[in-house]
Amino acid sequence: MTDTNHLRAMVDDLRSSIDLKPSDQDRDDTQIQSLLSDRSALKRLVSEYRILREALDKSPMAYCVYDERDRLIAANPAYERLHPGLAELRLQASDKGIDLFYADLVRRELAGKVSSDELEAAVSERVEAQKYADGAPVERSYHGSGDFRIMKYRLSSGGSAGIALDITELKQREAELDRARNVAEEATERAETSLKSERSRKLQARQLSELGEWLQSCKTVQELFVVVERLMPQMFPSSEGELYIYSNSRDVLDGACQWNRDGRLNKHIQPDDCWALRRGRMMRYGEGLSNIPCAHAAKSEADGEQIPPYVCIPILAHGETVGLLHIRFPKLGCSEQQCLDDRVLSFALQCAEHISLAVANAKLRDELEQQSIRDPLTGLYNRRHFMNQMHHAMKKSGSAQKSVGLIALDADNFKTFNDVHGHNAGDVVLCAISEALLEAVRPTDTVARFGGEEFAVLLADTNTQAAEDRAEAIRAAISGLSIRYGEGVLPQVTVSCGVAGTSEFGYVPQELLRAADMALYRAKDTGRNRVCRADPADAAGRSS
């Protein structure tokens, strides 16, 4: 009988633990009576219940069961660890023989966290929320216990059950994964940025190399300007700009070329119009920079329009400023980060260095060429260049059957003039004769100093009569010169001229020169200060 009573007590505990409805208790009593009559079935049931209870007690997942009145029916140790005051509340309820409700647990947890006036309202809200549990997972952090994923759901008896899974380690792994992902994304971004930068660097290096090759291939400054105008839009696609070069007088800068601009190029700008030239170093203008726009940049924009970001770079050659490179970025807006960053500025400086070197070389080449073809005293062409031009003109005019006239002239009594007045006065006379010659001929004609006091004028597309008329005009102009030297005026200077044309002497340069020289000698022999026309009979007689 003792064993039977002990088994009945265990069944009663099982019945209360599995939350049987009151309406089912009559039926359950019948089933219990049946189990009591079958001791082996009852032992098996009790054994299974103990196994289940042990499994739940040892489970790291917290669980709890409340009946329809929110009375705590069952809870495992994991649930008690989440609610440190629960064990004490259960002990007090057991000692007093009273039930423990969900509201008691909530009230203890909220005590001290909310005011006493708001405590009961907060407790009621939590209790009411439990009645509408739908099994949706909710993540909550418990101080000292970590993070948990909680799911509460309703039971058919009207009660509720809840489970809580410790996801602290999972959250930590997720955080570590997020950090690793962020590190990987940052590394990828850095790699892409580095790759983009490397590609940009290689492109700039290739463009600079091409620019240098083109610039060094230029034989004249004008060719150099064409290269800059064509290549700068490729190197700075979103830019527009101009290149200015100092004039020979160095009082203004002449507009050399421009790119990506619809307006006309400024013919001249003053050196004081640019802060970069004033300061002797690169100057950039843009939003967020403490600077003042250059006057030439302000003039380039219409009234009321905002000046776009730009950079001005002085062009230096052999320590001397020879020009200015001006680059604007109107298509990017006034964003310093986009158009005035270090990479763009560095690239612009490198372009300016290439242009500087090319300008210096071109100017030096032009100077050397001018020195090789110009007379240093008068600035006229020298004999060698005159002969080259004469050969070219003869070939061209001979093919087109056009006449060419030649004037050979010589200053009269120049040796005596030098002996009386000195060589400095003689140089002044030669320069005055040169200026008179240049004023008396056309831009298409070629004037040269052959040496000493001898000069020659090649008249393109001119017959012999027109050449003779031009020689007479030259003679008259020179004889009418009033040449000042020191504090006085030099004596009258006259020239003798010999004229020859291709219509009589053909297109062989040496023959034409010989004929003009013979006419010049005849002018000298017949009294000087006159023009004589070459006679084919004289040339033929001298040849024989």
Side-chain angles (χ1 to χ4, degrees), residues 8 27-38:
R8 183 181 295 275
R27 183 183 58 189
D28 294 341
D29 288 341
T30 302
Q31 293 178 348
I32 291 173
Q33 291 297 330
S34 175
L35 287 172
L36 289 173
S37 62
D38 187 351

Side-chain angles (χ1 to χ4, degrees), residues 60 118 322 330 400 459 470 484:
E118 299 176 350
V322 298
L459 304 171
R470 184 65 56 83
R484 297 190 62 85

Side-chain angles (χ1 to χ4, degrees), residues 149-444:
R149 181 174 290 122
I150 300 172
M151 290 180 290
K152 293 184 179 180
Y153 48 91
R154 303 298 296 175
L155 300 176
S156 59
S157 63
S160 62
I163 57 175
L165 175 63
D166 189 350
I167 59 171
T168 303
E169 185 177 352
L170 178 62
K171 297 283 284 187
Q172 292 175 349
R173 291 181 180 178
E174 288 179 351
E176 293 175 356
L177 182 61
D178 289 340
R179 286 194 295 270
R181 186 183 296 110
N182 292 335
V183 170
E185 291 176 353
E186 291 175 359
T188 302
E189 184 177 354
R190 287 195 301 270
E192 292 177 351
T193 302
S194 177
L195 180 60
K196 183 179 179 180
S197 177
E198 180 64 17
R199 289 175 177 172
S200 176
R201 187 192 64 79
K202 289 183 177 179
L203 175 61
Q204 291 180 355
R206 179 173 59 81
Q207 290 177 331
L208 283 173
S209 176
E210 292 178 355
L211 176 65
E213 291 178 2
W214 280 103
L215 291 176
Q216 296 306 317
S217 300
C218 296
K219 293 184 177 180
T220 64
V221 177
Q222 295 302 322
E223 288 182 350
L224 184 148
F225 297 155
V226 173
V227 170
V228 172
E229 184 175 343
R230 298 289 179 84
L231 292 187
M232 288 301 284
Q234 301 177 22
M235 305 179 78
F236 297 92
S238 300
S239 74
E240 60 182 38
E242 306 99 23
L243 176 65
Y244 297 94
I245 300 297
Y246 266 107
S247 64
N248 292 332
S249 61
R250 293 194 64 81
D251 57 343
V252 297
L253 288 95
D254 300 326
C257 64
Q258 64 179 359
W259 65 91
N260 289 344
R261 288 202 63 198
D262 297 331
R264 296 179 59 185
L265 174 65
N266 293 326
K267 290 185 178 180
H268 309 288
I269 66 171
Q270 300 295 326
D272 288 343
D273 288 344
C274 181
W275 290 106
L277 293 177
R278 287 195 192 186
R279 302 163 68 190
R281 58 189 178 91
M282 180 189 70
M283 182 265 190
R284 58 179 181 171
Y285 173 85
E287 184 179 4
L289 297 175
S290 299
N291 51 23
I292 304 172
C294 298
H296 68 89
K299 293 176 183 178
S300 300
E301 301 300 324
D303 294 340
E305 290 190 7
Q306 186 177 12
I307 301 175
Y310 69 82
V311 58
C312 286
I313 306 175
I315 301 296
L316 303 176
H318 306 301
E320 180 183 12
T321 302
V322 298
L324 172 70
L325 181 63
H326 176 73
I327 307 176
R328 288 190 300 277
F329 301 89
K331 297 181 180 179
L332 294 180
C334 295
S335 174
E336 177 189 357
Q337 289 76 15
Q338 287 180 307
C339 58
L340 296 179
D341 59 14
D342 292 339
R343 291 180 300 172
V344 174
L345 294 178
S346 176
F347 189 41
L349 282 173
Q350 293 178 63
C351 291
E353 290 175 359
H354 280 69
I355 295 174
S356 300
L357 181 60
V359 169
N361 291 339
K363 281 183 169 292
L364 179 60
R365 188 182 297 112
D366 287 347
E367 290 176 3
L368 294 176
E369 182 180 0
Q370 291 300 314
Q371 290 176 7
S372 67
I373 65 176
R374 295 282 182 180
D375 173 59
L377 175 62
T378 63
L380 299 178
Y381 291 119
N382 57 25
R383 182 186 183 97
R384 182 176 65 84
H385 181 73
F386 183 86
M387 295 303 299
N388 290 336
Q389 291 293 102
M390 190 174 180
H391 279 84
H392 177 73
M394 291 297 186
K395 183 178 180 180
K396 182 178 179 181
S397 299
S399 301
Q401 292 298 309
K402 292 183 178 181
S403 300
V404 177
L406 176 64
I407 303 173
L409 61 150
D410 187 282
D412 296 330
N413 300 314
F414 192 73
K415 183 178 184 302
T416 303
F417 188 94
N418 271 343
D419 293 340
V420 174
H421 299 283
H423 288 283
N424 289 338
D427 290 344
V428 172
V429 170
L430 293 176
C431 291
I433 293 175
S434 300
E435 293 177 2
L437 287 172
L438 292 175
E439 292 178 358
V441 300
R442 303 164 299 181
T444 55

